[in-house]
Amino acid sequence: MSGASASVELPPGAASREVERRRDGIGGRVRDAIAEEVPIALLYNDRPHVVMMATPHDLEDFALGFSLSEGILVEAGELEAVDAQALLEGIELRLRVPPGRADALEERRRNLTGRTSCGLCGAQALEDAVRQPAPVRGGPQIDDAVLRRALAQLHERQPLNLATGATHAAAWARADGTLALVREDVGRHNALDKLVGALVRAGEEVERGFLVVTSRASYEMVQKAATAGIALVAAISAPTALAIQLAETTGVTLIGFARRESHVVYTHPRRISARQEEVPS
């Protein structure tokens, strides 16, 4: 169970609240660490686009990663400026982009309100909902030991979740299994967007590493990864049927139920080298 005393420094994205904790019929007032969740509005050239419920940390990464993973921008240099403004209702991220990008966005504007479990709310057309990224080329060649190495590091690299028990993480592992970057958020899509932004800003080469996420592999996660050029996605939980279909058509190697002792490869197993054994059906 998460918890925090008044003297313990909280990680960014966490708040301290007094709660009543009960155990074996005995209760007491304690301080607890709670994950923050606030409305974050993204405006492109002063035009409102979307409001996402997210953890208010790593916002520059979020702004860049969302813009790239949603296909609003093609390259990082097109994001000219990000201005974060804290308001009573939440946070506004005012993004300055080339006029042509803003005009194209206005034409396919969805006016959606994102939630922690939904990346589609308010989509106006099927092509908005199921966007087909370009096929991913290349990617790393890893083995089971590399995946286990990445997973072994993941737990301790989530300070916000360790404090609150309420957040997802998206992690970037290099080809040897070393975790280079981790981003956390109450929403799995937001965590991935933050990681994509951090990857680009750090100059990491996406063809030389792979993505590990602590959530299920929904199709939006595969969609965002493929749009960013990520060729291998390993999820702690299960994929959906549409995620598998999208991974197949975009050339993404999709792994589900990733554990230190086992995992399931759903698509494009050529990037995973492993000893072949008979598995009981």
Side-chain angles (χ1 to χ4, degrees), residues 41-51 105-106 109 111:
L42 283 82
L43 295 81
Y44 290 85
N45 293 7
D46 299 319
R47 301 171 185 173
H49 174 59
V50 65
V51 178
L105 179 60
E106 185 70 16
R109 204 175 146 201
N111 290 327

Side-chain angles (χ1 to χ4, degrees), residues 2-185:
S2 65
S5 68
S7 61
V8 174
E9 184 176 352
L10 297 174
S16 180
R17 297 289 185 271
E18 189 175 81
V19 301
E20 180 158 332
R21 179 168 296 162
R22 292 182 174 272
R23 180 174 297 168
D24 297 327
I26 301 173
R29 303 295 292 179
V30 297
R31 302 296 296 184
D32 199 14
I34 309 295
E36 293 187 285
E37 182 180 30
V38 303
I40 298 180
L42 283 82
L43 295 81
Y44 290 85
N45 293 7
D46 299 319
R47 301 171 185 173
H49 174 59
V50 65
V51 178
M52 303 296 290
M53 299 302 298
T55 302
H57 185 55
D58 295 317
L59 293 183
E60 288 195 19
D61 290 339
F62 179 50
L64 177 57
F66 179 88
S67 300
L68 293 172
S69 74
E70 289 294 312
I72 297 168
L73 302 180
V74 176
E75 56 186 39
E78 293 178 325
L79 182 55
E80 299 167 1
V82 179
D83 179 33
Q85 298 183 5
L87 306 175
L88 182 62
E89 301 86 354
I91 297 173
E92 281 189 349
L93 293 181
R94 293 183 170 271
L95 286 68
R96 184 62 53 185
V97 300
R101 295 295 183 200
D103 292 342
L105 179 60
E106 185 70 16
E107 294 205 359
R108 66 180 181 93
R109 204 175 146 201
R110 289 181 275 182
N111 290 327
L112 59 89
T113 298
R115 296 180 176 87
T116 56
S117 62
C118 178
L120 286 185
C121 311
Q124 295 175 343
L126 287 176
E127 57 267 27
D128 291 330
V130 189
R131 176 173 48 85
Q132 181 77 23
V136 174
R137 308 295 181 190
Q141 184 72 35
I142 69 170
D143 58 24
D144 292 357
V146 167
L147 181 57
R148 287 197 300 269
R149 191 173 302 126
L151 292 170
Q153 301 166 61
L154 186 56
H155 179 70
E156 297 301 324
R157 294 288 298 275
Q158 300 176 68
L160 185 54
N161 190 60
L162 287 172
T164 68
T167 56
H168 288 294
W172 182 250
R174 292 181 177 143
D176 64 355
T178 301
L179 291 189
L181 293 164
V182 181
R183 290 294 182 269
E184 296 181 272
D185 197 276

Side-chain angles (χ1 to χ4, degrees), residues 52-55 57-70 115-116 119 131 133 154 158 167-173 181-201 206 209-235 243 246 252 254:
M52 303 296 290
M53 299 302 298
T55 302
H57 185 55
D58 295 317
L59 293 183
E60 288 195 19
D61 290 339
F62 179 50
L64 177 57
F66 179 88
S67 300
L68 293 172
S69 74
E70 289 294 312
R115 296 180 176 87
T116 56
R131 176 173 48 85
L154 186 56
Q158 300 176 68
T167 56
H168 288 294
W172 182 250
L181 293 164
V182 181
R183 290 294 182 269
E184 296 181 272
D185 197 276
V186 291
R188 64 185 188 276
H189 311 103
N190 303 333
L192 178 51
D193 283 334
K194 289 178 178 180
L195 181 71
V196 169
L199 276 174
V200 173
R201 295 176 67 198
V206 293
F210 59 99
L211 170 66
V212 182
V213 296
T214 62
S215 64
R216 72 180 186 272
S218 60
Y219 93 90
E220 305 103 314
M221 301 294 279
V222 174
Q223 184 185 65
K224 286 176 176 289
T227 302
I230 296 171
L232 197 161
V233 177
L246 188 61
V252 171
L254 180 59

